Amino acid sequence: MKRLQLRITFFTILYFVVSISYSQIKVSEIIQESKIANEDANKLYFVDFWATWCGPCVYAKEMLTVLQQQHPKDFYVISLSDENADKVKAYLKKKPSKLAIAVDFEGNTFKSYDIYSRPNGILFNAKGEKLWQGHPADLSSSMISRFLRQNQNRKSLSKFVKEVKAKSAVIKDYQPKDDLEIKYNKNENSEFTISYGKTHLKLDGSLDKILSYISKVNEKQILVKPVLNKNYTVYIRLSDAYNPSASHQILDKLGLEVKESEVLGEALTLKVRNPNFWDTNQINWGDVSSKYLVSDSDISADNVSLKDVSYQLSKALDIPVVISSSNDTYINGIHDWQVHYKYYEFMQSNFEEYGIKVKKEKVKYPQYIIIKKAP
């Protein structure tokens, strides 16, 4: 009988310990605590998985700030990035936030919950049980109120979040030596990311996405066989990144080449008529790792070309974009931008202010077929 009681006691303690460790979200550093919420005795914790390079994450963070203001008690938002703490701190100097900010430099929490795309978020109760997961912008105030009624247990921030100093956090970012460096990335689930360094642009992702970005065309225009469409990390000198030959340089280094053709299909045409572009003083985000802020309706851009904006527009609408202009300077010149894309007529009116006529129509646009170089 005593042995049975001891076993029951042992398993009860073991279950309790496992529950406590499971409920903890591991971070390598808490950069700031919430300036809105109460850090003690909360019923719900929402972990917002984001990154400084993720434009949509910024929009999601604005939505979460509103939710945090609506529920300052019993509900606590933690914005968690897997980037270097110094990079996040530099970003916050340019774009401050009132939410709690932490970093998971070694990606422990990201890996634990299979986070491979952003924006993404998970709502937990005080026991560490997952209640909801999805795009942070889809989390509503009524949902939070319902979960608050259903969950009565509480836990302080210090017990919910476990700070584990990352050994690799002191390692400096890799500094490429050559104008172009390419490394094979074994992670098949890695998302496409863009980072701006002092001398180089860093691109992480599959080959079709890298070429799409470098060439500023829609992914549908890049045709790569699965066997060739591997994941890479590309470092390219900033002065070369926007050179028309940049994509050819990448392909050449990989032993590949491109065959160009034309296809007839639906596309968005941008015809520059009487340009009335903004200068570069309308938006100033300073030295941050993203030049774009893409919400579910608008694109804001700091110091980029019309060609860059057309690429973001193409991604947002998932359609090829074709630009025509009598002067290439209008296409490649650097400007600030604020354009709407959700509602077609509003988008047309918005672009008209820049002196650009927008129309969705069937036209011929280029297609790029990636093949192995002939021996």
Side-chain angles (χ1 to χ4, degrees):
M1 187 69 178
K2 288 183 178 179
R3 288 184 179 179
L4 179 61
Q5 288 178 337
L6 285 171
R7 285 184 180 180
I8 292 173
T9 303
F10 172 76
F11 284 114
T12 301
I13 293 171
L14 180 62
Y15 173 79
F16 177 76
V17 171
V18 170
S19 297
I20 290 298
S21 62
Y22 174 75
S23 68
Q24 291 174 328
I25 298 299
K26 292 182 180 180
V27 304
S28 52
E29 183 177 343
I30 297 174
I31 292 177
Q32 69 177 42
E33 294 178 356
S34 178
K35 299 176 183 178
I36 307 169
N38 179 11
E39 65 186 69
D40 294 321
N42 291 290
K43 296 180 182 178
L44 302 177
Y45 285 91
F46 185 77
V47 181
D48 164 39
F49 297 95
W50 74 293
T52 60
W53 49 261
C54 173
C57 294
V58 181
Y59 171 74
K61 201 177 298 299
E62 291 174 358
M63 301 285 289
L64 289 172
T65 301
V66 173
L67 285 178
Q68 185 69 95
Q69 290 170 336
Q70 292 173 337
H71 301 273
K73 294 181 179 179
D74 299 329
F75 172 64
Y76 199 97
V77 177
I78 307 166
S79 283
L80 187 64
S81 170
D82 57 353
E83 298 168 286
N84 184 290
D86 290 338
K87 180 178 288 187
V88 175
K89 290 173 184 177
Y91 177 88
L92 290 173
K93 286 182 180 179
K94 303 294 182 180
K95 297 186 73 66
S97 174
K98 293 183 179 180
L99 298 175
I101 307 291
V103 291
D104 177 24
F105 186 70
E106 292 186 336
N108 292 315
T109 300
F110 277 76
K111 293 171 186 173
S112 296
Y113 296 100
D114 296 324
I115 303 299
Y116 296 111
S117 63
R118 281 163 269 197
N120 204 333
I122 300 178
L123 182 68
F124 297 92
N125 62 17
K127 294 180 181 179
E129 297 169 336
K130 188 196 297 186
L131 304 177
W132 181 89
Q133 181 172 358
H135 194 298
D138 293 333
L139 184 66
S140 66
S141 179
S142 60
M143 290 168 63
I144 294 171
S145 297
R146 174 165 56 85
F147 283 122
L148 285 172
R149 290 192 299 269
Q150 295 172 350
N151 295 270
Q152 298 302 315
N153 291 321
R154 299 171 186 273
K155 182 168 286 186
S156 66
L157 177 66
S158 60
K159 290 183 179 180
F160 185 82
V161 177
K162 184 177 181 181
E163 194 169 3
V164 181
K165 294 294 182 182
K167 295 178 181 178
S168 55
V170 296
I171 299 176
K172 294 183 179 180
D173 289 340
Y174 173 72
Q175 296 297 325
K177 298 178 180 178
D178 298 330
D179 292 342
L180 176 64
E181 295 184 17
I182 302 177
K183 298 181 178 180
Y184 173 62
N185 188 344
K186 294 182 180 180
N187 187 1
E188 296 181 359
N189 296 315
S190 65
E191 55 194 311
F192 179 62
T193 62
I194 307 162
S195 304
Y196 290 87
K198 292 182 179 179
T199 59
H200 286 69
L201 178 69
K202 179 185 176 183
L203 305 174
D204 273 301
S206 57
L207 181 60
D208 59 346
K209 289 181 172 60
I210 290 172
L211 294 176
S212 171
Y213 177 81
I214 287 290
S215 304
K216 306 303 179 198
V217 298
N218 189 269
E219 285 179 35
K220 293 177 180 177
Q221 295 172 253
I222 307 289
L223 300 183
V224 191
K225 290 182 179 180
V227 68
L228 300 178
N229 197 30
K230 299 176 182 178
N231 283 1
Y232 296 97
T233 297
V234 174
Y235 296 92
I236 184 168
R237 193 167 293 279
L238 287 170
S239 56
D240 298 334
Y242 302 103
N243 191 309
S245 65
S247 59
H248 292 279
Q249 292 175 28
I250 293 172
L251 290 172
D252 186 61
K253 204 170 184 68
L254 293 173
L256 304 172
E257 59 183 352
V258 59
K259 284 188 175 181
E260 297 184 23
S261 63
E262 277 192 333
V263 294
L264 179 65
E266 189 175 60
L268 198 68
T269 58
L270 306 183
K271 296 178 181 178
V272 182
R273 290 183 165 182
N274 302 304
N276 184 32
F277 299 169
W278 282 1
D279 57 26
T280 57
N281 299 315
Q282 306 305 308
I283 298 175
N284 184 15
W285 292 334
D287 185 21
V288 297
S289 57
S290 177
K291 292 179 178 291
Y292 307 96
L293 171 56
V294 183
S295 72
D296 64 348
S297 61
D298 297 274
I299 298 172
S300 301
D302 182 19
N303 289 7
V304 303
S305 67
L306 176 58
K307 194 172 183 180
D308 290 316
V309 172
S310 73
Y311 164 74
Q312 295 296 332
L313 190 63
S314 174
K315 279 184 63 180
L317 297 175
D318 194 25
I319 187 174
V321 175
V322 179
I323 311 174
S324 60
S325 172
S326 60
N327 191 332
D328 286 347
T329 303
Y330 299 145
I331 299 176
N332 300 311
I334 301 301
H335 303 275
D336 290 344
W337 303 85
Q338 178 76 51
V339 297
H340 177 91
Y341 67 85
K342 188 173 184 178
Y343 300 106
Y344 183 66
E345 291 184 357
F346 190 10
M347 177 177 65
Q348 285 183 309
S349 175
N350 193 175
F351 271 100
E352 283 287 352
E353 295 175 4
Y354 290 105
I356 302 171
K357 183 180 179 181
V358 175
K359 188 178 180 180
K360 189 180 288 185
E361 57 186 330
K362 273 197 171 183
V363 294
K364 286 185 177 181
Y365 57 81
Q367 193 170 65
Y368 306 93
I369 304 168
I370 310 304
I371 59 174
K372 280 188 176 182
K373 271 187 178 181

